[in-house]
Amino acid sequence: MHHFEYRDGILSAEEVSVTALAEEYGTPLYIYSAATLRRHFKAFDSAFNELDHLTCYSIKANSNLAVLKLLAAEGAGMDIVSGGELYRALKAGVTPEKIVYSGVGKRDSEIREALEAGILMFNVESVAELKRINTVASDMGMTAKVSFRINPDVDPQTHPYISTGMQENKFGLDIENSLAAYTLAAELENVEPVGMDCHIGSQLTKIDPFLEALDKLLDFNEKLKGLGINIKYLDLGGGLGIPYDKEEPPHPSEFGKALSAKLKGLPLKVIFEPGRVIAGNAGIMVTQVVYTKSNPTKNFLIVDAAMNDLIRPSLYGSYHRIGEVELKGRQHQRFDVVGPICESGDFLARDRELPTVDQGERLVVYSAGAYGFTMASNYNTRPRACELLVDGSNVTVARKRETYEDLIANEL
Ligand SMILES: *Cc1c(COP(=O)(O)O)cnc(C)c1O
């Protein structure tokens, strides 16, 4: 469910006409719906009301400060994967005790910053990292709370690039080595093992892989107890999918029911790290057709948004629904929707049946709220797009469009 609907044939973002926004702010343009973000957060968070839990929004899905502030105001904690994301979370006013820090390559400076901030815990992904955290914490005269990211070797049945919980992935520790890691953590002076963590992948459309991973973690927890290690937090990561096209991912409430059945009564606080399911369908990207072009085999819509603005189609072959901003009862035709970048991989859609829009008209690309702007680059020296947050009839510029000066500001 989202709040992008046609009103009298014109797409609106909540109470505001998308045509009017595109005319005022230009294209390519990201538009986020505050009501949708709130709704998704509540739907997710309330699904686990039967459990002691904390929902830590995964910042990397959409890290705009306006989005973070909105979610923090709803009570969200945050899942960070870099010092930069910690900086954003703190700037957005997120309570440090609600921040968990994941990622395979945390540097000393980042560890120090997180300890200074007083985050809830580090999700540790290797023994080398554990030792590093212990050293940094020791230098600071502190004790770092840690959990290990356990790789349960479960196939999440999603795209290989966003599958993270199988043995071949770089993430986490395999179950066998995890026991030794916890033993070491219990021995080291300046770390305290407080949790278990897993994140098996993204855009999961079934619950079973989550439950399979959970069972493995609960078994493992029994072994930990046997060693006298009693952990408090069970972090199940993110990964719940969204409908981009015809997928029918489970509703969070279904996930909540299944988890409650397994976890109710256990002395564990459950942590979630949802990203896509909160932000994905809360954002659209608007683009304008620059040229139309046909050759003997293809029709092209050459638009002003490119892989530097939204890389998912190029990187993962992802499907994003595309429609017209103004409904005009047009004929349909097959098109490749491509950007201006000098790469054949620069496309938003291929062989897609779409209304035959003309040059100068606008298209909407749906489900662009997660892994859209956050993955944007300046490739081909293209300024990054403007981001708007619409709340009812209120429009906030969440990020100004970059200028040419911005592009060279840090160059000598
Ligand atoms: C990316 C990521 C998430 C969020 O994944 P979604 O599929 O967007 O929910 C959560 N935890 C970790 C460790 C991640 O890397």
Side-chain angles (χ1 to χ4, degrees):
M1 252 312 286
H2 56 72
H3 295 269
F4 300 104
E5 282 162 355
Y6 290 99
R7 292 189 182 175
D8 302 321
I10 298 181
L11 187 68
S12 65
E14 302 197 20
E15 306 298 323
V16 189
S17 148
V18 168
T19 297
L21 292 176
E23 270 162 15
E24 183 165 356
Y25 297 99
T27 51
L29 178 65
Y30 275 96
I31 305 174
Y32 310 129
S33 154
T36 312
L37 286 165
R38 286 191 200 100
R39 181 194 177 107
H40 287 174
F41 180 78
K42 284 195 185 115
F44 187 92
D45 190 56
S46 65
F48 309 100
N49 275 346
E50 286 192 49
L51 300 170
D52 183 15
H53 75 281
L54 174 65
T55 301
C56 293
Y57 167 70
S58 175
I59 292 188
K60 76 179 194 285
N62 184 326
S63 57
N64 188 287
L65 280 182
V67 171
L68 302 187
K69 279 183 190 161
L70 179 152
L71 292 172
E74 295 295 309
M78 303 276 153
D79 168 46
I80 60 170
V81 293
S82 70
E85 287 190 352
L86 172 64
Y87 180 77
R88 281 184 182 275
L90 297 176
K91 282 279 177 208
V94 177
T95 318
E97 298 79 37
K98 289 186 178 177
I99 296 175
V100 295
Y101 189 176
S102 310
V104 292
K106 304 176 189 81
R107 291 175 303 176
D108 290 21
S109 58
E110 294 175 308
I111 295 167
R112 205 173 313 119
E113 286 153 16
L115 283 168
E116 265 161 18
I119 64 164
L120 178 61
M121 64 182 188
F122 293 87
N123 288 334
V124 178
E125 307 219 14
S126 64
V127 171
E129 182 192 333
L130 176 75
K131 291 178 180 165
R132 189 70 63 81
I133 292 174
N134 186 63
T135 304
V136 175
S138 166
D139 290 346
M140 295 171 72
M142 296 179 75
T143 302
K145 285 183 278 179
V146 300
S147 86
F148 286 100
R149 177 162 174 182
I150 296 170
N151 188 332
D153 197 22
V154 166
D155 183 358
Q157 297 162 36
T158 184
H159 190 284
Y161 286 11
I162 49 176
S163 157
T164 54
M166 290 163 78
Q167 204 127 63
E168 71 216 45
N169 299 125
K170 69 177 176 182
F171 299 100
L173 288 161
D174 57 277
I175 291 212
E176 288 71 41
N177 286 314
S178 295
L179 213 50
Y182 275 94
T183 309
L184 178 61
E187 284 165 15
L188 292 173
E189 285 280 311
N190 296 85
V191 290
E192 181 193 357
V194 296
M196 281 190 299
D197 166 50
C198 76
H199 170 71
I200 57 174
S202 201
Q203 185 53 16
L204 272 71
T205 52
K206 295 198 184 71
I207 284 179
D208 295 348
F210 288 113
L211 299 181
E212 207 185 309
L214 174 60
D215 285 344
K216 291 193 176 181
L217 258 58
L218 290 177
D219 280 351
F220 182 76
N221 191 32
E222 292 306 311
K223 292 192 190 149
L224 283 183
K225 283 192 209 158
L227 292 175
I229 298 171
N230 289 299
I231 58 125
K232 181 169 169 206
Y233 301 103
L234 173 61
D235 184 339
L236 294 176
L240 199 58
I242 61 168
Y244 283 98
D245 183 16
K246 297 192 181 69
E247 304 93 331
E248 290 182 350
H251 189 273
S253 64
E254 198 185 316
F255 190 27
K257 271 199 202 100
L259 286 188
S260 297
K262 283 188 184 282
L263 293 171
K264 217 169 163 208
L266 296 182
L268 291 169
K269 180 161 182 160
V270 190
I271 294 177
F272 299 99
E273 303 171 349
R276 189 186 312 267
V277 73
I278 307 292
N281 279 324
I284 57 173
M285 184 181 68
V286 184
T287 182
Q288 189 167 29
V289 179
V290 187
Y291 298 110
T292 59
K293 169 170 164 175
S294 296
N295 67 25
T297 53
K298 290 249 185 208
N299 301 308
F300 293 98
L301 293 173
I302 302 171
V303 299
D304 65 3
M307 65 189 285
N308 75 296
D309 300 298
L310 178 67
I311 203 176
R312 298 189 68 260
S314 306
L315 186 61
Y316 312 121
S318 304
Y319 181 98
H320 281 264
R321 192 155 66 85
I322 295 178
E324 54 206 316
V325 169
E326 302 197 3
L327 298 174
K328 298 235 167 106
R330 296 171 242 248
Q331 300 280 327
H332 281 61
Q333 237 182 316
R334 283 199 170 270
F335 289 102
D336 276 17
V337 182
V338 301
I341 281 186
C342 304
E343 301 272 347
S344 294
D346 176 28
F347 60 88
L348 296 176
R350 275 183 162 162
D351 255 329
R352 183 78 62 84
E353 186 134 323
L354 288 170
T356 49
V357 289
D358 288 326
Q359 289 176 182
E361 292 190 293
R362 297 185 188 94
L363 294 173
V364 51
V365 181
Y366 289 96
S367 311
Y371 307 107
F373 188 90
T374 50
M375 294 178 98
S377 76
N378 294 119
Y379 189 36
N380 279 206
T381 303
R382 288 168 51 83
R384 279 179 293 175
C386 174
E387 293 174 284
L388 301 176
L389 180 69
V390 173
D391 192 354
S393 53
N394 220 333
V395 180
T396 310
V397 178
R399 193 179 203 272
K400 286 192 288 191
R401 183 177 303 285
E402 285 177 342
T403 63
Y404 292 153
E405 292 77 45
D406 292 334
L407 294 176
I408 59 164
N410 292 332
E411 295 175 28
L412 298 178

